[in-house]
Amino acid sequence: MALVKYNNNSISAVTSASSIPSGALTHIKTLTASSSATLSFVDGSNGVVLDSTYPIYKFEFINIHPASDNVGFKFNMSVDGGSNYNVTKTSTVFASYHYENDSSTALSYGGNVDLAQSTSDQQISGGTGSDNDQSANGSLTIFNPSSTTFVKHFLGCVQTSGGDDRSLKYYSGGYGNTTSAVDAIIFKFSSGNIDAGKIKLYGIKDS
């Protein structure tokens, strides 16, 4: 994210607000869950932009709290405005964890949640707990989703307070193997509703 700094001289030279350059990260839409089965961002719907306006889109997850215990947070992509979320994906996932009671730690490859030419939802978090103080937080970045030349790469990093009382961090990456423009993204848990939390969508400008 680009930061723009000003001093007294630069501010005094400004003649209108429109002449002040903005940063690279532009907020587009915030969705707030309330016992929601899914949260979806569809280009052109309710103020959502997910097209060639930006080459990179970033989703931020804030205190995503599941109704069910120990469930993974997932996403999928659509090329038909959200009618079907079934883009073929190939991905890789690894995770690290540490239990509250210090009984176990690990860094391992997530062979049970990676995908190989699959239309299934991609898991981007570990099992998140449903206790009142547990949630998932992190981000997912999608690169050039409107391209009709390249596949659609994504990178995820999500930290959860696990349903089995551990700190669990998931790193995911892969690509939607389609040259059609991706115009919608959906989020859900592997089971049960999204009880609470916010997802913010940002566009990242060209440098």
Side-chain angles (χ1 to χ4, degrees):
M1 179 173 64
L3 296 178
V4 181
K5 286 189 174 182
Y6 298 99
N7 56 35
N8 288 337
N9 291 332
S10 60
I11 292 295
S12 64
V14 172
T15 58
S16 68
S18 62
S19 65
I20 301 176
S22 61
L25 197 65
T26 302
H27 176 254
I28 296 170
K29 184 75 175 181
T30 297
L31 296 181
T32 301
S34 179
S35 297
S36 308
T38 64
L39 291 178
S40 56
F41 294 80
V42 181
D43 180 51
S45 175
N46 298 315
V48 172
V49 175
L50 194 63
D51 57 20
S52 60
T53 302
Y54 301 98
I56 304 170
Y57 288 86
K58 187 174 185 179
F59 298 89
E60 294 281 354
F61 314 122
I62 303 169
N63 290 329
I64 305 297
H65 180 70
S68 302
D69 192 41
N70 205 28
V71 288
F73 198 49
K74 299 185 173 188
F75 88 100
N76 213 327
M77 296 178 275
S78 173
V79 298
D80 55 13
S83 295
N84 299 280
Y85 289 96
N86 58 359
V87 169
T88 299
K89 294 171 291 299
T90 293
S91 63
T92 181
V93 177
F94 70 95
S96 61
Y97 70 79
H98 186 191
Y99 279 90
E100 286 182 7
N101 61 10
D102 204 22
S103 62
S104 178
T105 63
L107 173 65
S108 60
Y109 182 74
N112 62 324
V113 292
D114 63 0
L115 301 177
Q117 290 299 94
S118 172
T119 60
S120 297
D121 299 333
Q122 175 62 58
Q123 185 164 323
I124 54 174
S125 87
T128 305
S130 61
D131 290 353
N132 290 337
D133 62 350
Q134 294 178 321
S135 65
N137 294 267
S139 64
L140 176 73
T141 304
I142 308 287
F143 296 87
N144 205 11
S146 66
S147 173
T148 54
T149 301
F150 298 106
V151 298
K152 311 306 184 291
H153 289 268
F154 61 86
L155 291 172
C157 180
V158 179
Q159 164 67 34
T160 71
S161 35
D164 48 2
D165 295 326
R166 59 176 167 167
S167 171
L168 179 58
K169 192 162 188 178
Y170 250 53
Y171 301 87
S172 59
Y175 53 86
N177 196 5
T178 179
T179 55
S180 297
V182 167
D183 56 9
I185 307 287
I186 195 169
F187 297 95
K188 64 177 74 171
F189 276 110
S190 56
S191 178
N193 288 343
I194 307 171
D195 182 61
K198 293 182 179 180
I199 303 179
K200 291 181 174 287
L201 171 61
Y202 296 88
I204 301 178
K205 298 177 182 178
D206 281 321
S207 58

